[in-house]
Amino acid sequence: MHPLHDYVAQQLADKIKSRRVVVWYDERREFRAFVDELRGGARSGSAPVSIAVGGASAHLAEYAGSMFELRAVVEPHVSGDAPSAVVVYIPGVGRDRRASALMELEKAGTTWEPQLAQLAKNVLLQKYTLGVVDEMLPGGRKVSYEDLSRAAAGNSGAEPPSILKSIFHEASGNDGLLTAWLVSDARDAQIVEKEATRELTKLVKARLGLDLASDSPLSKLRAITLRYVLAGEFRLDLSYDAPASLDSVPKPTSKDEESAVRELARRLRTGHADAYAALADRVEEELGLKNAKLPPGALGAIDTFRFEERALLRYAGDLIANGMFESALALVAEREQSFWLDRDVSRKAQWEATQRIAELGNVAVQVKAAVSKTSGDPATWLDAYVSPGKDGAGWFRLDQAQRRLEAWVANLDEEPEERPLGVVRRAYEDACHAMAEGFTKALAKAGWTVSSALHQTRIWSEVVANKPKPVAYFLVDAMRYEMGVELAERLPKTSEVSVRAAVGALPSITPIGMAALQPGASASFSVVEQNGKLGARIDDSFLPDLASRKKFAAARVPKLVDVALDELLSLQPSKLAKKLDGAQVVVVRSQEIDHAGETGFTFQARQVMDTVIDNLARAIRKLAAAGIEHAVVSADHGHLFFANDRDESMRTDAPGGDTVELHRRCWIGRGGATPPGCVRVQASALGYASDLESVFPAALGVFKAGGDLAFHHGGPSLQEMVIPVLTVRTKARESARPSAGPIEATGLPEAVTNRIFSVTFTYGAKQMMLGATGIQVRPLLMAAGKQVGAVGMAVDAQFDRATGTVKLEPNKPVTIAFLLSDESVASLRVVVQDPTTDAELYRSPTDIPVRLGV
């Protein structure tokens, strides 16, 4: 036979095998020649004849003027329990869907109403391009089965087989062929040499509706087609009048042509991303779209051109600047998978910054509104700050959102737009101001006590002392409550973790807060002056500094080991075991947060503060591996941290008098004058056996105490006074073996020259078993045993910001943007861990040097 016969026969055979009885209506008598081929000749009688069709056997019965006669001759073949396969062919009659005499046969089996042109087109497209086939099957002119059979067989009288298909032999279908031609001129010479330009223009016309002059150079035809496709997609996605520069580009005139334009643009982006970027930039330039005056809200969901992404980012910034934070967040969510963002980590970082800006603004508005409705004693304010409320979280989430934003901005080479960033920073300060003012008033009214709250001086006696030994006691300088909550989230899910709030001792400075965490503080604690120094007194011991506190703790606690966080992280397991041998209490001290804040380098300080959270989690897990399963984590005080120093209008003259110590947020001494906007507190009101007095700004003001820091503590705000108390039990594991298959990394930098850089990871290999599921991993940057960076973003993958984990699917590459938080390191390794066991699933083979600014 021939290809057309075989194709139609296979379609019919599939229906026979599926339903046994096929009632075939051929109203235009297009398939009579095919039926004669099946039968082996013309019809000779009314009785059904046996046929073989596409590997199936059946009886063929044909209509000859009487439906009742046809039904009668078919009846014997279908009346049994197992009906025979029957094809009932009805030429020249349309199907009656309401009163057909063959209704029972149709319901028991199936009906078939094929169109010859469509079936032939499917066959011809295997040999010819769409333009040629459309010429062979023109609308309005009948083409016979015989003509189409010859064309499908390649016999004389038909078009020659497609030259384009032989040139683009690896392309899949007409769209694949057009895509390959548009992205490269590598085969233009062959097209010209083999005189296939006319076939190409016919294909473009048939698929896209675009008329091209076949005598024009191929480079010109390609440029015209690209403009038509990209401008067409852009215009179709635009909910506004297109720029006048697009008037010279014709439009698709049918739904099929519009669909073809969208599909071709999609193929260019997904299959030839590098080429598409260059081509789209060129078309954007040719059409003058970069400076087009378009309402950003009218741009569609597809970023055909690069300028759209930048215009929309500016629009998101405008929404934020106008207080429309939820609208900005919705816009960011819509653009998350933009082609341009997935290819440029620096641009994606700007969108991530915009999201964090909008999140902070949104939370600031919610918290300030809640603060304005809050009254009552200090315990009410404390509860609102730390406890889940009507909106699902306490006010501390405001500080969390601010830290996450400022940490991100600190890592950007290009700071986000000034106006939206300034708006939310001011909104944050306004909310903090209202919180500080309200809480301070409540404290003063309640006599500077917070009823029912855990006081800092009782943390040792009520929490640490009752833990099974050995126990680790983490003393983290300046860790505010929200950071403690995030630390709890970053610990393994297998750990037993609880977080509660405690109220710190005033003034909220390091010598006082660290002394309040010492053993014995619950029974005897005062803030006093001795020999011109300010310090705390527990029993008869005066504790003005770290040396005195270490000596005091060692005398009070048998078998105590004191170690700095940095040292703990750098020790090898064997040396750590030796250091901890016999220890009952291990005091781990961290000064990184306070030290970074006090240096005055705001950006670097925020980077380090984020890193400390991860390193504390790492230290807890490391101690658990060494056999110390129980840990308590707390802080001497919290802090306020703003992007910039306090405005001159917020700086207050110091009280004067007999000054013992002056800090930006507190004055301790005797006498002097209480400046406007400040409160004076007698030491006795704070429970101290002393004649000292403290003066604090009543809101967010600072004293003129020198320096230009944006980092403050010492006062009575919630951020400064409320500290976290974490109790943790992390069971030791005998071994931490990888629980996943291989992870491969590509795109590792030869050197880290930017604080944000990307690496692509792929989980699994081709030899992995089918059905493998995704895994959760924690990618890190490590140096000398310490974490110096973490994930900032993940492209096309689930990323849990709170835990720093990413989900990898089998054999699906995921691009991860890392944030380098510690710029002081000379080199680093890229590491991927199992977050449950800390087992390393991947480690970069060599150290990667850090050369920022190169």
Side-chain angles (χ1 to χ4, degrees):
M1 288 296 178
H2 49 80
L4 181 58
H5 174 95
D6 294 341
Y7 184 78
V8 177
Q10 189 58 55
Q11 302 303 304
L12 178 57
D14 290 344
K15 293 188 174 297
I16 294 171
K17 294 173 182 176
S18 174
R19 299 302 296 272
R20 301 293 291 170
V21 176
V22 181
V23 182
W24 179 4
Y25 288 95
D26 182 15
E27 187 173 3
R28 296 166 61 180
R29 302 178 189 273
E30 295 178 307
F31 291 94
R32 177 169 293 285
F34 170 78
V35 174
D36 289 344
E37 289 174 348
L38 277 182
R39 191 190 297 108
R43 181 175 182 270
S44 59
S46 61
V49 297
S50 297
I51 59 171
V53 53
S57 298
H59 293 91
L60 172 66
E62 185 175 340
Y63 170 75
S66 171
M67 290 290 185
F68 294 102
E69 178 191 26
L70 183 61
R71 187 173 68 180
V73 299
V74 171
E75 183 68 25
H77 297 280
V78 298
S79 59
D81 292 336
S84 301
V86 176
V87 176
V88 182
Y89 177 62
I90 309 172
V93 178
R95 180 185 173 193
D96 184 347
R97 286 174 167 75
R98 293 187 176 181
S100 171
L102 305 179
M103 187 68 74
E104 287 182 284
L105 291 173
E106 294 175 7
K107 294 294 185 183
T110 187
T111 57
W112 194 33
E113 300 174 83
Q115 300 295 312
L116 176 62
Q118 185 57 54
L119 295 184
K121 190 173 187 177
N122 294 341
V123 177
L124 293 171
L125 283 173
Q126 299 173 16
K127 185 176 292 187
Y128 307 106
T129 51
L130 182 61
V132 173
V133 172
D134 280 356
E135 284 195 349
M136 297 168 70
L137 301 171
R141 179 168 67 84
K142 184 175 181 180
V143 181
S144 70
Y145 177 83
E146 290 82 356
D147 291 338
L148 294 171
S149 298
R150 285 194 295 273
N155 297 333
S156 60
E159 287 271 354
S162 169
I163 298 172
L164 284 178
K165 282 183 175 287
S166 67
I167 295 174
F168 295 93
H169 55 85
E170 80 291 350
S172 175
N174 292 292
D175 287 345
L177 192 156
L178 284 174
T179 302
W181 172 65
L182 286 172
V183 299
S184 172
D185 62 0
R187 302 183 213 193
D188 283 6
Q190 292 184 61
I191 295 172
V192 173
E193 180 185 342
K194 296 182 179 181
E195 299 181 350
T197 304
R198 180 174 173 273
E199 183 185 355
L200 177 63
T201 59
K202 287 196 292 185
L203 173 58
V204 171
K205 171 64 176 176
R207 184 68 178 121
L208 300 172
L210 176 64
D211 285 307
L212 295 174
S214 59
D215 58 350
S216 296
L218 285 173
S219 58
K220 181 178 179 179
L221 299 183
R222 180 181 289 105
I224 293 171
T225 307
L226 273 169
R227 280 197 296 273
Y228 176 82
V229 169
L230 299 187
E233 182 191 51
F234 173 69
R235 197 157 31 197
L236 288 169
D237 208 33
L238 193 65
S239 59
Y240 191 78
D241 292 336
S245 60
L246 269 66
D247 291 347
S248 61
V249 182
K251 304 177 183 179
T253 58
S254 70
K255 293 295 182 183
D256 286 345
E257 291 169 4
E258 290 179 356
S259 296
V261 161
R262 291 183 185 276
E263 173 60 17
L264 211 57
R266 185 195 68 79
R267 282 175 175 254
L268 287 168
R269 272 192 300 275
T270 57
H272 307 274
D274 291 338
Y276 178 85
L279 295 172
D281 285 345
R282 191 178 75 200
V283 173
E284 178 185 311
E285 182 70 25
E286 292 170 354
L287 297 176
L289 292 174
K290 188 173 183 179
N291 299 314
K293 302 300 181 183
L294 289 168
L299 295 172
I302 303 170
D303 288 349
T304 304
F305 298 111
R306 193 186 298 270
F307 88 93
E308 296 181 77
E309 175 265 310
R310 295 177 181 269
L312 285 164
L313 183 62
R314 288 193 297 273
Y315 179 47
D318 291 341
L319 290 173
I320 293 169
N322 290 306
M324 302 172 68
F325 304 120
E326 290 186 354
S327 297
L329 287 170
L331 176 60
V332 171
E334 289 170 4
R335 315 309 293 196
E336 198 170 18
Q337 299 303 319
S338 164
F339 167 82
W340 301 101
L341 297 187
D342 288 348
R343 289 181 52 77
D344 188 341
V345 71
S346 65
R347 294 305 303 169
K348 196 169 182 69
Q350 290 292 325
W351 279 83
E352 176 71 18
T354 299
Q355 178 179 339
R356 296 186 187 212
I357 291 170
E359 286 173 345
L360 176 57
N362 203 32
V363 176
V365 168
Q366 294 173 11
V367 170
K368 188 175 181 184
V371 169
S372 67
K373 300 175 184 177
T374 301
S375 59
D377 61 16
T380 302
W381 289 79
L382 174 66
D383 186 63
Y385 184 71
V386 303
S387 301
K390 293 180 181 179
D391 297 321
W395 298 346
F396 73 86
R397 63 198 169 109
L398 174 69
D399 302 316
Q400 199 168 64
Q402 183 249 5
R403 175 175 53 80
R404 288 172 175 171
L405 167 62
E406 298 298 347
W408 188 259
V409 170
N411 281 286
L412 296 178
D413 290 326
E414 179 183 352
E415 188 164 295
E417 283 192 55
E418 183 176 350
R419 187 168 170 238
L421 188 58
V423 165
V424 298
R425 283 173 169 169
R426 182 57 186 264
Y428 173 72
E429 291 189 26
D430 288 347
C432 288
H433 177 90
M435 291 165 63
E437 192 172 50
F439 183 58
T440 302
K441 286 180 180 178
L443 274 174
K445 187 175 181 180
W448 298 91
T449 60
V450 185
S451 61
S452 73
L454 174 66
H455 195 272
Q456 188 176 35
T457 54
R458 304 205 313 268
I459 291 174
W460 172 273
S461 61
E462 295 185 15
V463 182
V464 182
N466 294 328
K467 288 294 172 189
K469 303 301 185 289
V471 61
Y473 188 25
F474 285 79
L475 306 180
V476 186
D477 202 341
M479 183 171 70
R480 62 187 182 187
Y481 180 78
E482 57 91 4
M483 299 174 79
V485 173
E486 187 153 318
L487 171 59
E489 292 173 341
R490 296 193 187 182
L491 291 169
K493 300 300 182 185
T494 54
S495 298
E496 300 171 13
V497 186
S498 68
V499 187
R500 62 188 294 194
V503 176
L506 282 173
S508 51
I509 56 178
T510 300
I512 306 307
M514 284 296 181
L517 295 169
Q518 297 298 313
S522 61
S524 168
F525 185 84
S526 289
V527 175
V528 300
E529 176 195 9
Q530 184 170 311
N531 298 325
K533 288 185 176 183
L534 182 73
R537 177 176 289 137
I538 300 177
D539 294 333
D540 295 329
S541 299
F542 179 61
L543 309 176
D545 51 30
L546 175 59
S548 62
R549 293 193 299 272
K550 290 176 70 172
K551 182 179 179 181
F552 175 83
R556 290 291 189 99
V557 181
K559 300 181 180 179
L560 181 144
V561 172
D562 191 296
V563 61
L565 175 65
D566 185 72
E567 180 188 0
L568 170 61
L569 293 172
S570 63
L571 284 173
Q572 294 296 319
S574 58
K575 291 185 178 180
L576 178 62
K578 184 177 180 180
K579 187 175 185 67
L580 301 181
D581 186 31
Q584 292 299 292
V585 176
V586 179
V587 173
V588 182
R589 302 183 185 277
S590 168
Q591 294 180 292
E592 287 82 359
I593 297 173
D594 200 57
H595 179 267
E598 297 289 359
T599 59
F601 298 107
T602 305
F603 277 12
Q604 292 90 328
R606 187 54 80 196
Q607 293 169 350
V608 170
M609 290 179 189
D610 255 22
T611 306
V612 171
I613 297 174
D614 287 312
N615 280 325
L616 287 169
R618 188 171 185 81
I620 291 170
R621 296 192 296 267
K622 189 168 185 176
L623 287 173
I628 301 179
E629 297 183 355
H630 294 273
V632 176
V633 184
S634 195
D636 54 348
H637 52 75
H639 65 267
L640 291 165
F641 198 146
F642 301 103
N644 303 298
D645 190 19
R646 306 292 76 215
D647 186 80
E648 192 64 35
S649 64
M650 297 182 71
R651 301 187 186 200
T652 303
D653 288 327
D658 178 14
T659 301
V660 177
E661 281 206 20
L662 175 63
H663 296 260
R664 301 299 298 278
R665 290 279 295 158
C666 64
W667 170 91
I668 303 99
R670 303 174 186 86
T674 304
C678 295
V679 293
R680 181 180 292 263
V681 187
Q682 301 295 324
S684 58
L686 299 173
Y688 305 148
S690 169
D691 64 347
L692 292 174
E693 299 170 313
S694 296
V695 178
F696 306 108
L700 298 183
V702 295
F703 292 121
K704 296 176 181 178
D708 58 354
L709 306 183
F711 174 88
H712 311 300
H713 60 85
S717 71
L718 287 162
Q719 287 87 348
E720 295 165 284
M721 283 191 68
V722 180
I723 58 172
V725 181
L726 279 74
T727 57
V728 186
R729 185 184 182 190
T730 304
K731 292 185 178 180
R733 297 174 178 270
E734 291 184 6
S735 62
R737 294 187 175 86
S739 58
I743 292 179
E744 298 177 356
T746 56
L748 288 168
E750 293 183 4
V752 175
T753 57
N754 293 297
R755 288 184 292 270
I756 298 178
F757 64 94
S758 62
V759 178
T760 298
F761 295 96
T762 304
Y763 162 52
K766 294 180 179 178
Q767 65 267 27
M768 285 186 65
M769 295 179 62
L770 294 176
T773 58
I775 59 166
Q776 209 76 17
V777 298
R778 182 189 293 113
L780 307 168
L781 301 179
M782 300 292 296
K786 294 191 300 180
Q787 183 174 333
V788 296
V791 180
M793 302 177 297
V795 177
D796 198 22
Q798 294 180 21
F799 169 45
D800 188 328
R801 190 186 293 175
T803 62
T805 59
V806 177
K807 187 169 185 181
L808 300 183
E809 300 290 349
N811 296 315
K812 178 185 176 183
V814 171
T815 298
I816 289 174
F818 285 100
L819 273 71
L820 174 62
S821 300
D822 187 347
E823 300 179 14
S824 66
V825 297
S827 63
L828 56 81
R829 295 277 185 119
V830 174
V831 174
V832 178
Q833 289 182 341
D834 180 330
T836 303
T837 65
D838 268 3
E840 288 192 2
L841 308 177
Y842 172 83
R843 172 177 283 263
S844 54
T846 59
D847 284 349
I848 302 172
V850 176
R851 298 171 187 156
L852 296 180
V854 176

